[in-house]
Amino acid sequence: MLEHLNYSTINTIDCLKKTQYHINKTETNKPKPPVLQTGIDMHNIADIYMKTGDVGPLPYKTDLHELHWKNLEPYLFKWKRDLLSSEQKIYTNHPIPLDGILDLLLEDYTIIDYKFTNKPWTDRKANDYISKQAWIYFELVKAQYGVYPKKLIYAVFPAEGQIKLHTVLFDNAKLSTAYKLWKDSWGIIKQAEEENSFPASPTNWRCNYCPYSSICSDSAARLSLNMPDRPKWGGNAV
């Protein structure tokens, strides 16, 4: 049963069968895409650095890890001077149950969220994170510290292309729009739980990038049609 809503859960609602797998933390035999696993590794490295000041020899010895660390370290060095918390998990039950992990929170309550990608974000990818994730983070900081941050910065570190900082400024009107998204998403999932009905909504693109496709009969049937793929948005990110 869903206890708190977050970006990852909202991102599954286009197929409620995927939502059910996600809520149940269903294990699959499908390996994480390299870009996602590398992102997880880099978050761990960054957290060690921010809490101890030193990571020593990198625990991961690939060219991609080395590249990301070379690009990330100067930013961490700067942010560390004003650090309030690193990898902080926050929960709130108002206005609805939400949770999330803040990569970094600075003393002025600026949120830093780093992403490790194959390529730079497209505008569409940036807008997806901003509309579904950023406002959850704003609300979580308000719940924990009693104030809304003035801004959130997405620091995007691509394997190819230039590093870019996407700044999101706090906006009451956009927060109100986010409230509606959270309320609607929560209602859809809770109704599915009450009715014990999580129907699949298979499409070729959706199933091809779904982490549960290897165990889902609806996905297997859809992919067997060999329909053309929808273009990527510019790579996954963590």
Side-chain angles (χ1 to χ4, degrees):
M1 180 175 291
L2 181 66
E3 296 181 354
H4 292 85
L5 193 66
N6 54 39
Y7 169 77
S8 296
T9 309
I10 292 173
N11 238 20
T12 69
I13 293 179
D14 58 351
C15 175
L16 284 173
K17 191 169 185 179
K18 179 167 62 174
T19 305
Q20 184 181 38
Y21 284 134
H22 177 75
I23 293 172
N24 293 339
K25 297 180 171 61
T26 305
E27 295 290 335
T28 77
N29 57 8
K30 187 175 183 178
K32 290 184 177 67
V35 64
L36 294 182
Q37 185 58 58
T38 302
I40 293 170
D41 297 341
M42 294 308 303
H43 277 75
N44 292 335
I45 293 171
D47 188 42
I48 293 171
Y49 178 86
M50 298 305 279
K51 290 176 177 175
T52 69
D54 184 26
V55 297
L58 282 185
Y60 311 99
K61 296 293 186 181
T62 71
D63 291 343
L64 187 55
H65 288 91
E66 296 282 356
L67 171 66
H68 282 321
W69 178 242
K70 178 182 177 181
N71 290 334
L72 176 64
E73 185 180 18
Y75 288 91
L76 295 182
F77 180 81
K78 178 178 66 175
W79 292 326
K80 195 175 189 309
R81 291 176 293 186
D82 303 310
L83 180 67
L84 181 61
S85 68
S86 172
E87 295 297 326
Q88 182 181 11
K89 184 72 175 280
I90 303 178
Y91 302 87
T92 183
N93 289 316
H94 178 78
I96 64 169
L98 300 170
D99 70 17
I101 300 176
L102 307 183
D103 291 348
L104 297 179
L105 187 64
L106 305 185
E107 289 179 344
D108 66 355
Y109 302 115
T110 295
I111 303 165
I112 308 292
D113 193 273
Y114 21 82
K115 305 294 185 185
F116 301 92
T117 66
N118 286 324
K119 297 179 180 180
W121 273 3
T122 61
D123 289 342
R124 182 175 185 177
K125 190 69 174 179
N127 289 335
D128 182 67
Y129 273 102
I130 291 169
S131 64
K132 295 178 182 176
Q133 184 183 65
W135 302 103
I136 290 179
Y137 287 171
F138 280 114
E139 192 65 39
L140 291 175
V141 172
K142 175 64 162 61
Q144 183 74 21
Y145 297 99
V147 296
Y148 283 114
K150 292 181 180 179
K151 62 182 176 181
L152 176 152
I153 298 172
Y154 283 115
V156 181
F157 297 89
E160 301 175 14
Q162 294 185 338
I163 300 164
K164 186 171 182 179
L165 305 182
H166 299 259
T167 299
V168 184
L169 300 178
F170 179 77
D171 184 297
N172 269 310
K174 292 180 180 178
L175 184 63
S176 296
T177 300
Y179 281 161
K180 184 178 185 306
L181 172 65
W182 303 339
K183 182 179 178 181
D184 291 348
S185 300
W186 183 261
I188 290 169
I189 295 172
K190 284 301 168 181
Q191 181 178 348
E193 289 182 333
E194 290 172 6
E195 297 175 354
N196 193 26
S197 175
F198 292 84
S201 302
T203 67
N204 191 61
W205 175 82
R206 187 176 292 151
C207 295
N208 196 37
Y209 294 101
C210 177
Y212 306 105
S213 60
S214 62
I215 62 171
C216 176
S217 58
D218 294 281
S219 175
R222 182 73 187 187
L223 292 177
S224 69
L225 299 177
N226 292 320
M227 295 177 64
D229 290 338
R230 176 178 163 182
K232 292 184 179 181
W233 285 3
N236 294 317
V238 173

